[in-house]
Amino acid sequence: MRLVKKSHILFLSVTLFSFISCESTPKSEPQTNKSNEEINQIIEEIDPAVIELENYKNSIRNLVLKIESSPAAVNVRKSFSKNFSASVKDESGSPVSDFSVMVKFPASKTETVINYETKVLNTDENGLVSFTAPQTSFAANEKVIFYPAPCNESDEALEAAMEKAVSADYLVKSDIITKGAVLFIWDFNEKGNPTNNSYEIQSKFRTKGITLVGNGPVSESKYIGKPQTLYRETYDIIGPDAYGYLLYGTITFEQPVTATEDKTAYTCILKAEIDAINMKNGSKIYSKVFTYNSTGKNYNECVNNGKSNLAELVVSDIIYGL
């Protein structure tokens, strides 16, 4: 990485001055200069890692990183239409060439956890770096992050680098779009009793153009909390190929509807606990809890707004997280 040498010299000089000043003789005695041997000994005692870190911090202090381009969302197993790119400029706005930039990007997925990898790129004569993401293999709503390559692996160096970080959206849509899903997501009332399969979840999928969704053939509330039994019986009826996924869960009142004293406003908190199973092999591939604080000028508006907005959160997350 290109580093600013002046800062190194300045820091070292100040450090030496501090050491020499602390060693000064009392005012009543004549002050003598340090010998070369003593100065060399002081230099040897300075921790090189401290100098390296200060030099690094000074070298990036006035730099400005900026995202220059990023691709639109793609479907899983497709490639992005263009690269992710970022620029590096100095305090005067001039491009910084031959500067090491670290790019951190989603590389794999283990069950529900996204794993990141990093790569070092050098800016070109225009101060630009360009990153070509690998062909997508999993759904994600994540970030590609650019920051100055740290001078070492210490937490302090990474913290300094991340203060300059910029990021771009990394959006990959699940194959639920083409494979579809059967739903077993139950609405509960305020008393904690199941009432019906959620209409709002199915409706939100369809407004986003995902039409291959519908309530599953197993729809009795006795299957709530019994995912493997639910899966086996659903599998026995429709098999592994009709739909890609089985989505199951509950929508409950975390806090019942409450009115203000003058009854001009109502509030409630709704919670959705959603899981997903791969219909081909029965493996659990998704699990998440959502909450939404809803308000309305009357009871029905509060509940309806809450269920609609909560369903939006759930469906959007599934599309990019399944």
Side-chain angles (χ1 to χ4, degrees), residues 221-239:
S221 61
K222 67 180 182 180
Y223 290 95
I224 295 172
K226 301 176 181 178
Q228 285 304 312
T229 302
L230 172 67
Y231 167 71
R232 286 194 300 269
E233 298 208 13
T234 302
Y235 185 97
D236 289 342
I237 296 171
I238 65 173

Side-chain angles (χ1 to χ4, degrees), residues 19-320:
F19 273 102
I20 293 169
S21 298
C22 291
E23 301 268 342
S24 298
T25 56
K27 291 181 180 180
S28 59
E29 298 179 10
Q31 190 166 357
T32 59
N33 293 327
K34 293 287 183 182
S35 68
N36 289 338
E37 182 178 345
E38 288 174 306
I39 292 174
N40 288 335
Q41 184 178 356
I42 292 172
I43 292 175
E44 289 176 1
E45 290 174 355
I46 299 174
D47 186 351
V50 173
I51 297 176
E52 180 186 39
L53 181 60
E54 288 302 316
N55 187 43
Y56 173 71
K57 288 180 177 179
N58 286 329
S59 74
I60 67 173
R61 181 166 289 119
N62 296 318
L63 297 183
V64 177
L65 277 69
K66 179 184 176 184
I67 297 296
E68 295 294 341
S69 68
S70 60
V74 296
N75 293 340
V76 68
R77 286 180 283 280
K78 300 292 184 181
S79 296
F80 286 107
S81 59
K82 60 182 179 180
N83 290 346
F84 296 84
S85 68
S87 63
V88 182
K89 294 182 180 180
D90 61 21
E91 63 271 26
S92 67
S94 300
V96 179
S97 62
D98 195 28
F99 182 84
S100 297
V101 174
M102 188 80 82
V103 56
K104 185 176 181 180
F105 59 95
S108 62
K109 187 175 184 179
T110 306
E111 294 182 351
T112 59
V113 178
I114 302 293
N115 306 303
Y116 274 75
E117 291 183 4
T118 58
K119 183 177 182 179
V120 177
L121 304 172
N122 287 335
T123 56
D124 62 17
E125 65 275 10
N126 297 312
L128 296 173
V129 289
S130 182
F131 171 67
T132 303
Q135 180 175 315
T136 63
S137 60
F138 54 90
N141 183 356
E142 298 290 328
K143 300 287 185 182
V144 171
I145 306 167
F146 296 89
Y147 54 96
C151 60
N152 56 45
E153 296 182 356
S154 69
D155 291 341
E156 293 86 353
L158 180 58
E159 182 180 351
M162 293 306 293
E163 289 179 0
K164 296 292 181 178
V166 293
S167 63
D169 289 335
Y170 179 99
L171 300 174
V172 183
K173 295 180 181 179
S174 163
D175 58 6
I176 192 174
I177 295 171
T178 55
K179 291 185 176 181
V182 286
L183 309 179
F184 183 85
I185 300 174
W186 277 78
D187 273 321
F188 279 60
N189 60 25
E190 290 172 281
K191 296 180 179 180
N193 299 318
T195 56
N196 55 270
N197 281 303
S198 171
Y199 166 79
E200 286 81 7
I201 298 289
Q202 185 176 151
S203 176
K204 290 296 180 183
F205 272 119
R206 292 183 173 176
T207 59
K208 293 180 182 298
I210 303 174
T211 56
L212 193 60
V213 291
N215 291 332
V218 179
S219 58
E220 294 86 352
S221 61
K222 67 180 182 180
Y223 290 95
I224 295 172
K226 301 176 181 178
Q228 285 304 312
T229 302
L230 172 67
Y231 167 71
R232 286 194 300 269
E233 298 208 13
T234 302
Y235 185 97
D236 289 342
I237 296 171
I238 65 173
D241 301 318
Y243 294 89
Y245 304 99
L246 167 62
L247 304 181
Y248 63 95
T250 58
I251 296 175
T252 58
F253 283 86
E254 182 79 348
Q255 177 182 302
V257 178
T258 304
T260 57
E261 288 187 8
D262 58 4
K263 295 187 178 181
T264 58
Y266 291 73
T267 62
C268 68
I269 301 176
L270 294 169
K271 179 171 74 171
E273 298 178 83
I274 309 296
D275 299 272
I277 287 177
N278 186 319
M279 280 301 301
K280 280 195 177 296
N281 55 30
S283 62
K284 184 176 177 179
I285 58 170
Y286 178 89
S287 181
K288 197 157 185 179
V289 177
F290 306 82
T291 58
Y292 185 81
N293 292 27
S294 182
T295 60
K297 58 179 179 285
N298 55 52
Y299 180 97
N300 287 335
E301 183 177 276
C302 177
V303 173
N304 292 337
N305 285 347
K307 289 186 175 181
S308 177
N309 288 312
L310 183 62
E312 176 68 29
L313 292 175
V314 170
V315 170
S316 294
D317 194 81
I318 288 173
I319 290 174
Y320 291 104

